[in-house]
Amino acid sequence: MKGVRLPAVRCAALLMAGILTESMLPLRGAVAWAALIVTAGVLSAASLSAWVRRFRRHYAQTVLYLLSIVLAGFSLSLLHSMGARLEDDRMRWVDWVRGETVTVSGRVDRVQQREDDRVIWMRVDSMRVRTESDASWLAMRTGGRFVMDATQPVWGEGTSVVAGVRLERIRDNRNPGLFDYGAWMRSNGWRLVGEMLHVESVTPVGKGVESIREGIRGTLMEQYSMKTAPFVVAFLLGDRTLLSSDVRQSFSRAGLSHIMAVSGLHVGFVLAPVWFLMQRLGAGAVHRTAGFALLLSVMAGYAVLTGMSQSVLRATFMAVLFGAARLFHLPSTPLNILCASAFTMLSVRPSDLLEPGFQLSYAAVFLLLTWMPALTDRIENHVRVPLFRWLLTMLSVTLIVQIGMAPLLAGWFGEVSWIAPVSNLVTVPLLSLLMTYSISLLGIAQVMVVPEWIVLPAEYAYRWILWVPEM
């Protein structure tokens, strides 16, 4: 890296320093507003210094610019925290009806199937609280996590539901130092928890993205057997509704749970064939523009179809930045592009820095960018057999990611799966092929009935992957 300029690395590090500083200083009320005013003054001074001739190319201007980035992170995080506290105050009245039965109306965001019950995640838009004198609807925009009987019909994402629920209090973290599930729910807008007692009305999914997802899910259920279809739906769409708790636990113990949650791995699988096509479009400006349009449309479409989760958005944004830099020959390094992505995402959602998903996804890519180039060169220089070279490269990737992220995994979740390198080595390469093959079968199914013998290879491959965690 000697001699290479990495402005985005410095900017991202300084922005993170500002966010971490705010997270350690519980500023409230007048003190918070005073901090924002001071920050605004420094940022204004940094902007004006560019117009003062004697400050140009002066060390004082550099210091002022660096300080302004730290304070920008500080102020963004502070504004986000103040907004969260305002939301807490706005929802404080809900504490008065804890333990009571209320009626909520909203749309299903996702469904989590468990052994004895089912968890419904809803985007609630209104609530009706019955009192002695009134039973009117109260408008609100928040999220709810409700447990219901597993015998009820399975609802698709986007289904409108009106149901009676008994509200409960979000549990506080009883294990200091481990993942605070309650804080995660509040920071992501899930502020209602309870038990769904009865359903008043259900409106099926209408037209739009939800209906497309339902159509894809129905096609996958028809193409594959009852044993593999739930896993295929989870792998392609991130919809784990039909997965049993036993399957989820076995994949978690084997370090393969990331396969069933759409993330950077899946975006990489989708990007690979797209990148293959882009490289064959030509080197002209028109061809590069067409390639970038193809990349952007495919990545955006996949993000929308899989639910626009934060992990998918992060991976999609990184893929678009990397693709644009390669296509248009921009003078930048992969590490600089990674930090530019982190800087942008944290500018929009500064609280992501303190969440495990953000830390794990960026840590994995950072480890690969810093360690794999040197290892790849050594492998290519010393290993002559292509098969052994490929196996050693894949093993190196899994070992670097698992060993490098072990402290983060242990800190957040209190456990590390040491069998993960082996299980990932025998499943991830096959899944990269299955992603392309399964999507191709979906496309064929839109115009004709797919013969069973064409689906059969994928069926047996998915069965083998389901067998790996049970070994």
Side-chain angles (χ1 to χ4, degrees), residues 357-376:
F358 180 91
Q359 295 179 12
L360 292 172
S361 60
Y362 277 95
V365 180
F366 176 80
L367 289 168
L368 293 177
L369 291 180
T370 52
W371 285 93
M372 277 309 296
L375 280 175
T376 302

Side-chain angles (χ1 to χ4, degrees), residues 121-136:
W121 298 79
M122 284 180 57
R123 292 296 179 183
V124 178
D125 51 45
S126 60
M127 178 190 296
R128 183 173 61 195
V129 181
R130 295 186 180 276
T131 63
E132 295 180 357
S133 58
D134 190 17
S136 59

Side-chain angles (χ1 to χ4, degrees), residues 403-468:
I403 295 175
M405 294 202 303
L408 279 175
L409 292 170
W412 279 111
F413 306 110
E415 62 179 6
V416 177
S417 175
W418 295 110
I419 197 64
V422 178
S423 58
N424 279 271
L425 180 64
V426 299
T427 57
V428 171
L430 179 58
L431 285 170
S432 64
L433 299 176
L434 283 173
M435 173 69 80
T436 304
Y437 192 73
S438 301
I439 292 177
S440 300
L441 293 181
L442 277 173
I444 296 173
Q446 305 307 311
V447 295
M448 61 176 288
V449 177
V450 182
E452 186 177 349
W453 62 270
I454 296 181
V455 182
L456 207 57
E459 170 70 24
Y460 282 109
Y462 282 123
R463 288 193 181 192
W464 186 80
I465 290 172
L466 288 170
W467 174 75
V468 169

Side-chain angles (χ1 to χ4, degrees), residues 11-24 70 73-74 353:
C11 291
L14 292 170
L15 189 76
M16 291 178 188
I19 295 172
L20 290 174
T21 301
E22 189 280 329
S23 67
M24 294 184 289
V70 176
F74 180 88
L353 180 60

Side-chain angles (χ1 to χ4, degrees), residues 182-195:
W184 174 85
M185 288 189 62
R186 294 187 188 92
S187 64
N188 286 274
W190 304 102
R191 297 176 180 275
L192 300 177
V193 296
E195 179 184 2

Side-chain angles (χ1 to χ4, degrees), residues 143-261:
R145 177 187 182 276
F146 308 119
V147 178
M148 67 177 297
D149 189 357
T151 60
Q152 295 289 335
V154 178
W155 300 327
E157 297 177 12
T159 303
S160 298
V161 177
V162 179
V165 301
R166 181 188 296 115
L167 294 180
E168 302 171 358
R169 185 177 299 276
I170 298 178
R171 295 180 181 178
D172 296 325
N173 186 24
R174 299 180 180 178
N175 298 305
L178 295 182
F179 179 57
D180 191 341
Y181 190 67
W184 174 85
M185 288 189 62
R186 294 187 188 92
S187 64
N188 286 274
W190 304 102
R191 297 176 180 275
L192 300 177
V193 296
E195 179 184 2
M196 188 170 290
L197 302 177
H198 61 270
V199 179
E200 295 186 5
S201 66
V202 176
T203 304
V205 179
K207 296 182 179 180
V209 177
E210 292 85 1
S211 63
I212 297 175
R213 282 172 56 86
E214 283 297 306
I216 294 175
R217 175 177 166 176
T219 302
L220 293 175
M221 295 298 294
E222 293 176 0
Q223 287 182 340
Y224 298 93
S225 66
M226 293 300 295
K227 180 180 179 63
T228 58
F231 174 77
V232 179
V233 172
F235 172 58
L236 295 180
L237 297 178
D239 182 0
R240 293 177 286 181
T241 304
L242 302 177
L243 283 174
S244 66
S245 58
D246 292 338
V247 172
R248 289 197 297 268
Q249 290 174 4
S250 64
F251 270 75
S252 179
R253 288 192 298 266
L256 295 172
S257 56
H258 61 94
I259 291 174
M260 300 178 295

